[in-house]
Amino acid sequence: LHAVFGARVVRGSALFLELSGFHQALGECDFVITGEGSLDRQTLFGKGPFMVAEWAGKASKKTLAVAGVIRDSEQVASVFDHCISLSDMAGRNVDPILEAKTLLREAGRRLALEFG
């Protein structure tokens, strides 16, 4: 498509943020909350939450991440201002997938208390 029609190659997450008006919304917020099922090394290669953190950082906004599980925590933590793992919150006796609604509410409550 590039050679024939002059299309440009862009990251899907960057295009989505551009089309959704994310940049404009950044001006109206105090911080950004993003999430993903699993935050890990792959996240750092341009996946949605990484792009959110990158754009928010350029706008001097904190980025808070909520994920089902966080792997490679030191690398991931270097990108986000604060991370919450639903699996860690759930502990060993609770299935985080079955209790996702409850865990997400609790994560939101914690973020509101700390950053709100």
Side-chain angles (χ1 to χ4, degrees):
L1 291 175
H2 175 70
V4 177
F5 298 108
R8 61 186 173 113
V9 177
V10 297
R11 286 190 167 149
S13 54
L15 179 62
F16 177 77
L17 292 177
E18 184 180 315
L19 293 174
S20 69
F22 181 77
H23 189 344
Q24 293 80 9
L26 277 174
E28 302 172 16
C29 70
D30 296 322
F31 56 85
V32 177
I33 301 172
T34 188
E36 184 171 42
S38 177
L39 288 175
D40 53 32
R41 198 171 305 137
Q42 287 184 352
T43 304
L44 309 180
F45 291 100
K47 289 174 76 176
F50 175 81
M51 296 303 295
V52 167
E54 187 175 73
W55 285 31
K58 290 178 183 176
S60 299
K61 306 292 181 172
K62 290 186 181 218
T63 304
L64 318 175
V66 178
V69 65
I70 299 174
R71 294 185 180 91
D72 310 311
S73 57
E74 286 184 29
Q75 290 176 316
V76 169
S78 71
V79 174
F80 303 99
D81 295 293
H82 188 76
C83 297
I84 292 179
S85 164
L86 300 183
S87 294
D88 289 349
M89 284 176 53
R92 292 183 178 202
N93 298 325
V94 176
D95 184 337
I97 293 173
L98 295 177
E99 295 299 325
K101 185 175 180 179
T102 301
L103 291 167
L104 284 168
R105 282 188 179 149
E106 177 59 19
R109 186 188 72 75
R110 290 181 185 186
L111 292 174
L113 288 172
E114 189 167 344
F115 297 97

